[in-house]
Amino acid sequence: MSRQSNRTTDNKKMNSELFTLTYGALVTQLCKDYENDEEVNKQLDKMGYNIGVRLIEDFLARSSVGRCHDFRETADVIAKVAFKMYLGITPSVTNWSPAGDEFSLILESNPLVDFVELPDNHNTLIYSNLLCGVLRGALEMVVQMAVDVRFAQDTLRGDSVTEIRMKFIKRIEENLPAGDE
Amino acid sequence: MADEALFQFLHNELIQYVNNAESGENENGRCVSKLENIGFRVGQGLIERFTKDTARFKDELDVMKFICKDFWTCVFKKQIDNLRTNHQGIYVLQDNKFRLLTQLSAGKQYLEHSPKYLAFTCGLVRGGLYNLGVKSIVTAEVSVMPACKFQVMIQKM
């Protein structure tokens, strides 16, 4: 049958489209349920966080990355391994702050927004805010790192690239049982 | 690429969210229908992307076979294990190891929660069929995890 011909090559793309479309349907639902965009942003971040704390286990199991020795290394792993593995893109790491505690991930393309156009009445919606939550949750859970993550630029709002700004806040120590390490 | 895991995580969050948002009386029914509607939208979009280069379908059965093989493989990484029909518009699709249930304990403990984990997929199938010109009602049932049966009832237009 002619229908079967290009199936295998399509498979991967289809699966990421499933994710993209499902995410879109979720955001749509949130916009219906909540009155304002801030609430939606907050909810997306929360859901992302929940995903992040689970995703990191999956990530460590799949990838064979070892312990990162500094924030720069962490940044590289996030960009080159994690983003590549889950979203199929490799953002570039730039704009380091002089103190080395803050950097930007520049996404040339963002698979989450493949089929998206923001309507005029949602101009404060941070569509891909889930990503911030995922990053925050993942780093907090296993790597014990508190970070601040936010979107600095977004192609959906007319910027030329999508930029995620990550700021290191502190190492979380209190979870360690006494006498450990 | 491991985005399949990502979809599963998102799916779980989706259920969690809708479940919390609909916590009132009659909650389960509304939760399920909301998830079903979300799935419907996704199914509509997905099938359009998926079939744009494929040949025209011969008949209803051909469409169902496509759903069981290509569509299912794409979304759930395996084919439907068994497709049965009474040739009068009812199809039963059986998946012996349904992907979205494999993360749940196989015992009876969470059996009552299974409708929530199947609603999105019911919608996905209904949406897909709808955009291929087949109007249907899709329901699902589980007797032993993680196997489940989807029943598609074609509505004559």
Side-chain angles (χ1 to χ4, degrees):
Chain A
M1 273 195 284
S2 60
R3 184 179 303 134
Q4 318 257 312
S5 58
N6 55 359
R7 175 155 40 105
T8 41
T9 47
D10 261 345
N11 244 346
K12 266 192 176 137
K13 211 172 115 249
M14 286 301 299
N15 209 274
S16 80
E17 285 180 358
L18 170 70
F19 178 74
T20 306
L21 287 168
T22 308
Y23 184 68
L26 166 70
V27 179
T28 313
Q29 186 63 47
L30 289 175
C31 287
K32 275 186 204 154
D33 290 352
Y34 291 104
E35 308 232 314
N36 59 49
D37 291 348
E38 273 78 40
E39 296 273 344
V40 177
N41 296 341
K42 216 190 281 170
Q43 184 64 36
L44 284 173
D45 181 76
K46 194 173 127 197
M47 295 172 97
Y49 179 85
N50 291 340
I51 293 176
V53 297
R54 294 178 175 88
L55 194 74
I56 186 72
E57 306 272 358
D58 184 78
F59 173 74
L60 293 175
R62 273 174 212 266
S63 68
S64 48
V65 292
R67 182 172 285 276
C68 295
H69 297 287
D70 57 15
F71 201 41
R72 278 177 192 272
E73 212 175 315
T74 310
D76 272 348
V77 170
I78 291 172
K80 299 201 180 104
V81 189
F83 266 85
K84 179 93 192 122
M85 187 185 280
Y86 291 107
L87 292 176
I89 52 170
T90 310
S92 47
V93 180
T94 52
N95 293 348
W96 278 96
S97 65
D101 65 343
E102 207 176 337
F103 67 92
S104 294
L105 290 168
I106 306 284
L107 286 71
E108 298 282 334
S109 70
N110 175 2
L112 289 187
V113 303
D114 271 352
F115 315 114
V116 181
E117 241 176 70
L118 279 190
D120 290 337
N121 57 341
H122 283 294
N123 47 19
T124 51
L125 178 70
I126 309 170
Y127 185 86
S128 311
N129 212 25
L130 188 93
L131 288 183
C132 295
V134 172
L135 288 167
R136 194 165 60 83
L139 288 180
E140 187 177 311
M141 185 43 67
V142 170
V143 203
Q144 312 264 304
M145 214 182 250
V147 286
D148 177 63
V149 190
R150 63 190 168 78
F151 273 86
Q153 293 188 75
D154 193 341
T155 43
L156 274 188
R157 293 139 168 277
D159 298 314
S160 58
V161 289
T162 299
E163 174 182 357
I164 300 176
R165 192 80 183 143
M166 295 187 62
K167 185 175 169 31
F168 176 83
I169 301 173
K170 61 169 184 184
R171 207 159 253 290
I172 305 164
E173 304 281 4
E174 59 262 47
N175 288 351
L176 289 178
D180 215 61
E181 270 197 314
Chain B
M1 209 160 49
D3 49 9
E4 184 202 333
L6 207 55
F7 169 72
Q8 288 202 4
F9 285 126
L10 185 70
H11 181 254
N12 286 347
E13 278 310 303
L14 193 64
I15 292 169
Q16 202 68 261
Y17 165 73
V18 175
N19 198 32
N20 289 343
E22 298 297 332
S23 53
E25 52 182 296
N26 210 347
E27 56 194 271
N28 242 336
R30 284 193 54 189
C31 170
V32 165
S33 79
K34 214 165 171 182
L35 285 168
E36 211 263 355
N37 274 319
I38 295 173
F40 181 76
R41 260 314 279 128
V42 177
Q44 284 187 308
L46 206 58
I47 205 79
E48 300 238 313
R49 310 277 310 163
F50 198 14
T51 53
K52 65 178 192 289
D53 298 323
T54 59
R56 184 176 271 274
F57 294 104
K58 275 207 311 275
D59 52 17
E60 204 176 88
L61 186 64
D62 200 22
V63 172
M64 291 309 297
K65 281 185 186 159
F66 176 79
I67 295 280
C68 292
K69 284 189 185 156
D70 303 38
F71 188 74
W72 218 261
T73 310
C74 215
V75 178
F76 301 116
K77 303 287 171 266
K78 69 189 279 298
Q79 294 186 8
I80 281 285
D81 294 297
N82 190 354
L83 169 67
R84 273 189 292 180
T85 175
N86 67 353
H87 297 289
Q88 283 167 23
I90 293 183
Y91 296 85
V92 177
L93 289 63
Q94 185 174 335
D95 190 332
N96 294 333
K97 195 159 180 272
F98 183 53
R99 194 121 209 139
L100 297 176
L101 290 178
T102 49
Q103 305 290 331
L104 267 62
S105 147
K108 286 197 158 51
Q109 192 181 2
Y110 295 109
L111 210 53
E112 56 171 322
H113 293 288
S114 62
K116 282 181 284 192
Y117 287 83
L118 300 170
F120 179 85
T121 308
C122 287
L124 201 68
V125 174
R126 187 169 68 91
L129 287 173
Y130 187 85
N131 274 31
L132 294 177
V134 180
K135 215 171 158 189
S136 62
I137 296 173
V138 182
T139 52
E141 61 170 35
V142 180
S143 43
V144 186
M145 300 259 205
C148 71
K149 281 181 186 161
F150 293 91
Q151 194 185 63
V152 180
M153 267 186 283
I154 309 292
Q155 311 288 99
K156 291 288 171 232
M157 292 212 233

